[in-house]
Amino acid sequence: MARMFRVLGFWTLAIALMSFAGDMYEMSLLFFIQTAAFFLLGYLKFTERTYIFMFWGYMVIAFLGFTYWSVFEMSLPY
């Protein structure tokens, strides 16, 4: 299970690099931070249950943040 967090780190690094190349600096900073967190968590040798709980916590925070941003921060195209 720890290997999956390193895989998540790889993909977030790929997204961070592509967004950096596309001049989306805020997005790339967010994904660089996620990359560091995923790589760190991937090497901490937690139990599988702990990794599942951390992943679900991450998903809840990510979906709440995405919903907040898309409802309250994005402008509507009229």
Side-chain angles (χ1 to χ4, degrees), residues 30-65:
L30 177 67
F31 275 88
F32 279 131
I33 292 169
Q34 288 182 21
T35 299
F38 283 142
F39 277 127
L40 176 72
L41 290 173
Y43 286 105
L44 287 180
K45 305 287 186 203
F46 288 124
T47 63
E48 185 171 348
R49 183 177 179 159
T50 305
Y51 278 120
I52 295 292
F53 283 145
M54 285 190 300
F55 181 70
W56 276 101
Y58 168 75
M59 293 305 292
V60 166
I61 291 170
F63 285 135
L64 285 175

